[in-house]
Structures are given as structure tokens and as C-alpha cells.
Amino acid sequence: MTSTPTARLSALGVSIWLDDLSREAIRSGRLAELVRTREVVGVTTNPTIFAGAIASADAYADAIAALAAKGASAEQAVLELTTADVAAAADVFREVFERSGGVDGRVSIEVPPGLAYDAAATVTAAEELFAKVDRPNVLIKIPATAEGLSAITDTIARGISVNVTLIFALERYREVIDAYLSGLERARAAGLDLSKIHSVASFFVSRVDTEVDRRLDALGSPEAAALRSKAGLANARLAFEVFEEVFSGERAQSLLAEGANLQRPLWASTGVKDPSLPDTLYVTELAVAGTVNTMPAKTLEAVFEHAELHGDAVHGTFEDSRAVLAGLEALGIDMAEVTALLEREGVDKFVASWEDLLNTVATELESARSA
């Protein structure tokens, strides 16, 4: 399998994570097969993924019937169902987790998205999820809202590993790294083992192009057309520059010297939404050692089948990336406004998916009680 594109991507130093999870995939062995054949070394989930999985599969019927018999509410049932799936997936990845020293073999689960603007409630939910999953290789996902920053610090300070999600803006990314380092400093002061605390920072890519391209198309000029589908990559590549800059600084280096881990950039939203673009674009063009790329199943298969890798696609691109963002600004496209909008929309979409999930489970519980 060393000749496959996924094997070559892994050899470049990119950790391949799957942005999908279902009970059927775990039970059928399909998830374990992806570990063997696609170099998949982790999984991310979100409310949309769980809503789709539970609504479309019979694999949850027995568990829902048992929860209905116990009188569980929809909220309680969702907690039981999702944490059970994450724990089972974490067991599938336990060998990867141990072999990688805790760097990979990770499975992420998100705090309820309605808490995105409530820091204290987010920390409480993170602790509850961490205890409920009860696996060392779980990552708790916390959105990178302004309120989420202090929740990230507080959660890391408690020794809980975190996947920071919904990062769109470069300035917010700097704040996310600062929140992580602050949490590590508090953990160090409390005498915790820094080597056990891990984090990734999920920087979203394709959604940036979707929004920016919509604005470029509305302008309709040759200058606008020339910048189409370049913003997402430019933004992400400059995020990697921020990562290297901050983690090479004295503050981060002092923590790393005491056993702390890098907070790796994770490329999220890597499924191509514009059919005119190569379906592996956000994988091949963001390939660089020390990163994670979490892919929807369709993107993963496209990469496995025909991705054309050309080595490190990030170093050496920073000046061109800055030129792209400067070009957008010259056309009147405000990236700060774009990324703020995308953050709000990201939270809103996950809240809507969470409500769909609760409604689906409530209906299933009612049907089970009536049977």
C-alpha cells in the first residue's frame, strides 16, 4: 500500500483523519478497514454528522428502545448514543494512539453547539463529555468563538485535550494559540503532566472560498475572476505561517521543553463544494508535515484513488498568499467581515443540526414507547 496517494500523504507527515462516524461503520469493521487501507489515524465528529448517522441507520434502534424504557429524555439519549459511538471509535484507534504517543488515534466529540457563547457552561459540558467517553484518546471540540477562548484555556488547564473548531480568521487563530498556551501554563502551575495534554486547531477552508467566491462573482470583473477559489488556500497557508511563528517563540518553546505538545493545525471543511475545482484541492495544496487533514468520506476516497501530491505545498507560498488577501481587500472584500460571518453561520448550522438530532431522537423514543 506504500504506493497509494494516502500512504504518500502520510509519509509527508500529514495525519489523515476521517470527518465522519456512525455506529454501522464501527460495527461492520469499515472504520477499522480505513485504518488499515487508507492510513486513517483519527476521526472528527460534529452535530451534523451525528444527526445524519442516527436518522439514517437502524443500528441505533435497540439502544433507543432501551433508553425509551428507562424514560430517557432526548437530551439524555443523545448524550448516551454519541458518547457510546465515540468511545467505541476510540477503542478502534487505541493502538494508533499508543503507537503515536498520543499524537494520533484521536476521536473528537463536540460540546452542545448552543453553548458556543457561554464559556462556563462549555467547560462544564467538556468535563462531562470527557468523563462520559472515558477514553484517553478523546478530544473535546470547543468552538473558537470569543467566549470559547476562555473555555479552551480552562479546559486545557484541567488536563483535558481539546479540538478547537470553527476557526476562520487569522487573528482569531492567534487568540486560539494563546488560549492553549495559557491553559498549559495553568496546568504546569497545577503540577499536571503536560505531555498528556494534546490539542489541534481546526482551521476551516472550503467555506471561505464559498463565501468569497460568491462576492467575487457578484463583482464580475476580470480582477475578481482571477482571484476566484484562492482565498481558502491563502488564508490556511498563512495560518500555518502563524503556527510556525508562535510555536518557535520563547513562550511556547519553554512549555515544549517541559514536555508540552504542539497544537497542530487541522485543515477542516476540506470537501470541495465547487464542482469545477479538483476534488482533492484542499488536501494536495495544504500538504505539509505536522498538520492534520480531516476529510469527509467522499474526499478521502478521491484522495486515495487519484490525488496528485507534489510534496510540501505550503512553505514558499506565504508571499503569494498575502498577495491574494491584498487583492481581495483592493476589490473591497473585507476578510475580517467574511470570517466573522462564517463563524456565526458555522455556529448556527451546528445548532440547527443539534435541534434536528434532538427532534429525530425524540421521535424515535416516542415510537419505541408506543411499540
Side-chain angles (χ1 to χ4, degrees):
M1 302 301 290
T2 55
S3 63
T4 68
T6 50
R8 293 196 294 273
L9 183 65
S10 178
L12 279 171
V14 177
S15 292
I16 300 171
W17 291 7
L18 176 68
D19 192 31
D20 194 19
L21 184 65
S22 69
R23 190 160 295 187
E24 189 275 332
I26 298 167
R27 289 181 174 176
S28 68
R30 191 167 76 246
L31 182 60
E33 181 183 2
L34 293 176
V35 176
R36 293 191 302 271
T37 65
R38 304 293 189 268
E39 276 68 42
V40 171
V41 291
V43 163
T44 51
T45 69
N46 60 47
T48 304
I49 287 171
F50 278 126
I54 293 175
S56 62
D58 295 329
Y60 298 91
D62 290 345
I64 288 175
L67 289 164
K70 295 178 182 178
S73 66
E75 290 82 1
Q76 291 168 332
V78 166
L79 177 65
E80 293 293 331
L81 295 171
T82 58
T83 55
D85 280 1
V86 169
D91 290 342
V92 172
F93 284 98
R94 187 60 179 262
E95 182 181 345
V96 174
F97 171 74
E98 293 175 351
R99 187 173 68 242
S100 68
V103 173
D104 284 314
R106 295 282 178 171
V107 183
S108 298
I109 184 170
E110 189 162 342
V111 297
L115 306 180
Y117 305 113
D118 186 333
T122 293
V123 176
T124 298
E127 290 183 304
E128 180 181 16
L129 285 172
F130 181 72
K132 187 72 175 174
V133 174
D134 194 26
R135 298 294 189 277
N137 48 332
V138 68
L139 287 175
I140 307 302
K141 289 180 79 172
I142 298 176
T145 58
E147 295 81 0
L149 295 171
S150 64
I152 293 160
T153 295
D154 289 347
T155 304
I156 291 290
R158 286 163 168 76
I160 297 173
S161 296
V162 173
N163 176 343
V164 183
T165 189
L166 289 177
I167 308 173
F168 296 95
L170 293 170
E171 186 56 39
R172 178 54 53 82
Y173 179 43
R174 288 184 179 274
E175 294 172 338
V176 165
I177 298 174
D178 178 73
Y180 174 60
L181 296 177
S182 296
L184 289 176
E185 288 163 347
R186 284 175 46 188
R188 178 175 60 186
L192 299 185
D193 182 352
L194 299 186
S195 70
K196 302 295 185 184
I197 305 171
H198 288 258
S199 183
V200 293
S202 296
F203 205 89
F204 280 52
V205 187
S206 69
R207 293 189 195 183
V208 173
D209 273 342
T210 299
E211 179 60 28
V212 170
D213 286 357
R214 183 184 67 79
R215 298 177 185 215
L216 291 171
D217 291 345
L219 292 174
S221 67
E223 294 81 6
L227 289 172
R228 206 175 186 284
S229 304
K230 293 183 177 179
L233 290 176
N235 200 43
R237 286 165 169 170
L238 290 175
F240 189 81
E241 183 184 41
V242 170
F243 161 73
E244 290 196 316
E245 172 200 328
V246 177
F247 279 98
S248 64
E250 182 179 347
R251 182 188 183 195
Q253 286 295 311
S254 70
L255 290 162
L256 296 174
E258 296 184 46
N261 297 288
L262 294 169
Q263 183 188 52
R264 289 184 297 168
L266 179 153
W267 310 129
S269 181
T270 58
V272 172
K273 296 175 175 61
D274 182 345
S276 70
L277 298 174
D279 54 5
T280 62
L281 179 71
Y282 301 120
V283 179
T284 61
E285 302 312 305
L286 289 174
V288 60
T291 59
V292 180
N293 196 304
T294 185
M295 310 175 201
K298 183 178 179 181
T299 302
L300 174 64
E301 285 308 299
V303 171
F304 177 77
E305 290 170 2
H306 57 253
E308 296 183 5
L309 296 163
H310 47 93
D312 183 338
V314 175
H315 287 107
T317 67
F318 301 143
E319 290 306 316
D320 286 345
S321 296
R322 271 188 279 277
V324 168
L325 298 192
L328 293 172
E329 183 180 357
L331 291 174
I333 295 177
D334 183 347
M335 283 298 289
E337 190 271 326
V338 167
T339 53
L341 171 66
L342 290 171
E343 180 186 294
R344 292 193 302 272
E345 289 183 345
V347 172
D348 290 346
K349 287 174 181 177
F350 281 163
V351 168
S353 293
W354 186 257
E355 293 300 323
D356 288 344
L357 176 57
L358 289 174
N359 291 335
T360 296
V361 171
T363 300
E364 295 294 329
L365 288 170
E366 185 59 35
S367 296
R369 291 185 183 112
S370 302

